[in-house]
Amino acid sequence: MSDLPTPIPAELARLRGSIDNIDAALVYLLAERFKATQQVGVLKATTGLPPSDPAREEQQVGRLRELARTADLDPVFAEKFLAFIVEEVIQHHEAIAQGHAQRD
């Protein structure tokens, strides 16, 4: 038995390259999204708004589910993905609000 690695088909290498590029784009997009939501958290804290906005979150879920359907992506998966992100954002907003309250 040979210890040489099995060669990867060119098509597999090409597809993996595309996946790697998409993963990189997702990371940068998430970074930009979190930069914006951090600013939202500061604005909410300075204006006394609560960290969470259930009405906005519900609106976003509906919007994202429709986008997912249009993109031929499972809407349930899209909703779970958004819920994960929103949970993280709310934690950030709560920390920002707490920090802002401690300064007052």
Side-chain angles (χ1 to χ4, degrees), residues 48-87:
L49 292 170
S52 177
D53 184 347
R56 165 77 174 159
E57 293 161 26
E58 185 178 332
Q59 177 188 28
Q60 286 298 91
V61 166
R63 182 177 155 276
L64 194 69
R65 287 181 70 91
E66 185 56 36
L67 286 170
R69 278 190 280 278
T70 302
D72 200 24
L73 179 68
D74 179 6
V76 173
F77 169 78
E79 186 173 342
K80 288 177 184 177
F81 183 72
L82 179 65
F84 175 77
I85 292 172
V86 168
E87 181 181 328

Side-chain angles (χ1 to χ4, degrees), residues 14-73:
R14 184 190 68 75
L15 289 168
R16 285 179 174 172
S18 290
I19 290 167
D20 291 350
N21 288 342
I22 293 165
D23 288 347
L26 285 171
V27 167
Y28 283 103
L29 287 171
L30 285 170
E32 288 303 310
R33 189 184 196 288
F34 277 99
K35 287 176 190 173
T37 60
Q38 287 291 108
Q39 293 174 15
V40 167
V42 170
L43 184 60
K44 284 181 172 184
T46 59
T47 58
L49 292 170
S52 177
D53 184 347
R56 165 77 174 159
E57 293 161 26
E58 185 178 332
Q59 177 188 28
Q60 286 298 91
V61 166
R63 182 177 155 276
L64 194 69
R65 287 181 70 91
E66 185 56 36
L67 286 170
R69 278 190 280 278
T70 302
D72 200 24
L73 179 68

